[in-house]
Amino acid sequence: GVYHNTVNTIIQNSHITKAHPVVNYILMFVVAMVMGFFIKQMDAKNSLITIGSSFVGINIVIFALFMFLNLWIDQLGIVLALLLPSISIASVKFLTEEQEKKFIKGAFSRYLSPGVIDKIIKNPESLSLGGENKHITLFFSDVAKFSTISEMLTASELVHLLNEYLSEMTDIILKYQGTVDKFEGDAIMAFYGAPHPDPDHATNACLAAVEMSNRLADMRQVWKKQKKNELYVRMGMNTGQCVVGNMGSYTRMDYTAMGDTVNLASRLEGVNKQYNTEMIISEATYAEAKDHIEARRLDVVRVVGKEEPISIYELIAKKNGLSDMQADMLETYHNALDEFQKRQWKKAKNLFKQSLKIKPDDGPSETYIKRCDEFMKKPPSKNWDGVYRFKTK
């Protein structure tokens, strides 16, 4: 085979030409400098893509020159000139970028939700004004009688109490994939289902609220032993379409949600005052989470600023989390509510009283007893639709 190939090379006059060492050195230098320049301008991910494609491209060129022009170039030297500086620079970039990501997460995780931080790191272009429509669940909470409590504490005591409370609540929100939008004093605004999609956002919002309520009950026991003020919280949740994104100015923006869904969730938090309840959810939230929670029909209402009536529910516990006492009380309560909606005020009042005998501090039963008294004295009109209108937030 060697003889035949040698004879064929002489006959065809297709001799292999070996590139001069100086030419090889120049090519190595140029390849190393060009690759180093471009890799330095790119991020770590694009650097790897460029190194890989350049490696394939250069080898194709070297093989093509050998096959068609019989030109023998120092392949190993050029490939090493391509790989060694490029991989070195890319490796440094990977280490640097990872350190930068850790720094950003560590520095900003105290100000932003981890999901928002991840989104910014993966896509820095997302730091621009604008939003997108998303189906999410909104959460609002507020400490009852907080103004009275704050007047009884020094500034440092108030800050310590708030930080203790907000830290515990925030941990639970994040545990259930929620995004903390903002703190306004003692109030919390959060949402579930953004920036990362979550098909179970309504359920997660409800389960988080129940766990927050249970955790707060434990904290009250500790505060009671320490002779500190005990915090009681009202929560409101609603599910629906919102505009979610960066809102504000070009120099100062917040990742937040806006729309009627947000406004209604905020109103529902305040509606707790009317029923002496802790957690109220809208019919939209209830529809999506009902298989995983225990809740009771509360009312059909028109909140301030909304003409369309909505059904509201009191969130009580996780599925199958009711005590025997709660189950008995709810059965009696729902029977009373049915009679109330039939305009049987006296019968409804007696049943609501029975509910109170089972659970003496049941706020909704107390509220409906007052309404029964009002309607027995002054019945509503015949075209009354059973909707209760709130005049205050």
Side-chain angles (χ1 to χ4, degrees):
V2 173
Y3 294 142
H4 296 159
N5 189 59
T6 302
V7 172
N8 182 64
T9 299
I10 295 170
I11 294 173
Q12 298 294 331
N13 197 29
S14 57
H15 303 283
I16 297 173
T17 303
K18 189 173 183 179
H20 194 278
V22 175
V23 174
N24 283 321
Y25 294 143
I26 292 174
L27 287 174
M28 293 177 200
F29 178 78
V30 171
V31 168
M33 293 299 293
V34 170
M35 287 299 296
F37 174 79
F38 282 108
I39 295 300
K40 192 175 181 181
Q41 312 301 318
M42 301 175 184
D43 59 29
K45 183 179 178 181
N46 288 327
S47 295
L48 285 181
I49 296 173
T50 302
I51 292 171
S53 57
S54 299
F55 174 80
V56 174
I58 282 184
N59 279 287
I60 290 174
V61 171
I62 291 173
F63 276 109
L65 290 173
F66 183 78
M67 289 176 64
F68 300 108
L69 300 179
N70 294 324
L71 181 60
W72 179 9
I73 296 176
D74 187 350
Q75 182 181 12
L76 178 61
I78 292 175
V79 168
L80 290 176
L82 181 151
L83 293 179
L84 291 178
S86 302
I87 291 177
S88 299
I89 295 172
S91 298
V92 172
K93 279 184 173 290
F94 263 109
L95 293 174
T96 304
E97 287 186 11
E98 285 301 314
Q99 290 175 347
E100 288 176 352
K101 287 179 182 179
K102 287 181 180 178
F103 171 77
I104 291 172
K105 281 191 174 183
F108 288 96
S109 60
R110 298 175 182 269
Y111 299 95
L112 297 172
S113 167
V116 178
I117 297 173
D118 289 337
K119 185 177 180 181
I120 292 171
I121 291 173
K122 292 177 182 177
N123 182 21
E125 291 77 18
S126 64
L127 278 174
S128 59
L129 292 176
E132 55 184 333
N133 285 313
K134 284 183 175 289
H135 186 76
I136 63 174
T137 297
L138 272 296
F139 169 90
F140 282 85
S141 72
D142 194 27
V143 175
K145 300 179 181 179
F146 183 72
S147 298
T148 303
I149 294 173
S150 62
E151 291 172 358
M152 301 166 60
L153 302 174
T154 65
S156 59
E157 289 173 338
L158 181 62
V159 169
H160 178 76
L161 179 64
L162 265 184
N163 287 342
E164 185 180 1
Y165 158 70
L166 293 174
S167 295
E168 293 287 345
M169 300 301 104
T170 299
D171 288 345
I172 295 172
I173 292 172
L174 298 180
K175 174 183 173 182
Y176 286 89
Q177 304 175 48
T179 297
V180 177
D181 186 311
K182 60 176 68 73
F183 301 112
E184 292 183 356
D186 59 302
I188 302 173
M189 175 184 173
F191 45 83
Y192 297 77
H196 299 307
D198 177 12
D200 300 319
H201 53 80
T203 297
N204 283 331
C206 291
L207 296 181
V210 170
E211 188 166 325
M212 290 164 73
S213 175
N214 294 336
R215 178 66 187 124
L216 193 57
D218 294 337
M219 295 172 72
R220 282 196 294 268
Q221 295 297 320
V222 175
W223 288 329
K224 188 175 182 179
K225 291 178 181 178
Q226 297 173 346
K227 296 182 179 181
K228 293 182 178 179
N229 294 91
E230 300 172 37
L231 301 184
Y232 291 85
V233 177
R234 297 183 291 259
M235 309 178 204
M237 282 155 279
N238 183 33
T239 301
Q241 289 292 127
C242 293
V243 176
V244 184
N246 295 314
M247 317 289 179
S249 72
Y250 290 102
T251 56
R252 177 71 172 86
M253 62 184 73
D254 286 327
Y255 185 81
T256 187
M258 299 179 68
D260 285 340
T261 302
V262 182
N263 298 333
L264 180 55
S266 177
R267 295 286 187 271
L268 293 183
E269 177 271 310
V271 169
N272 281 287
K273 300 175 188 176
Q274 308 294 330
Y275 301 93
N276 194 24
T277 51
E278 185 178 14
M279 299 177 285
I280 291 181
I281 61 176
S282 68
E283 55 188 323
T285 303
Y286 176 76
E288 294 193 25
K290 61 184 179 182
D291 293 335
H292 304 277
I293 60 172
E294 298 288 352
R296 67 163 145 182
R297 288 183 292 135
L298 206 54
D299 209 343
V300 180
V301 301
R302 287 188 179 93
V303 297
V304 177
K306 299 277 289 183
E307 284 302 315
E308 184 180 351
I310 63 161
S311 297
I312 58 175
Y313 297 78
E314 181 193 9
L315 175 62
I316 300 175
K318 296 180 181 180
K319 196 68 175 177
N320 302 319
L322 294 177
S323 65
D324 292 339
M325 180 271 290
Q326 287 176 315
D328 291 341
M329 185 275 294
L330 289 180
E331 183 179 358
T332 305
Y333 167 85
H334 281 123
N335 290 335
L337 189 59
D338 289 339
E339 295 299 329
F340 180 86
Q341 291 170 344
K342 295 175 185 176
R343 304 168 69 101
Q344 301 297 315
W345 319 124
K346 189 173 182 180
K347 192 173 182 180
K349 179 180 177 180
N350 290 332
L351 287 169
F352 283 125
K353 284 184 175 180
Q354 290 181 32
S355 296
L356 283 175
K357 288 180 180 178
I358 301 172
K359 187 175 183 289
D361 61 344
D362 186 50
S365 295
E366 292 175 339
T367 299
Y368 273 106
I369 287 173
K370 293 177 182 177
R371 287 190 195 173
C372 287
D373 289 335
E374 292 174 6
F375 288 161
M376 281 191 285
K377 291 178 182 178
K378 185 180 179 181
S381 61
K382 291 182 179 180
N383 59 355
W384 177 62
D385 57 3
V387 178
Y388 189 83
R389 179 186 289 273
F390 290 111
K391 298 179 181 179
T392 58
K393 296 181 180 179

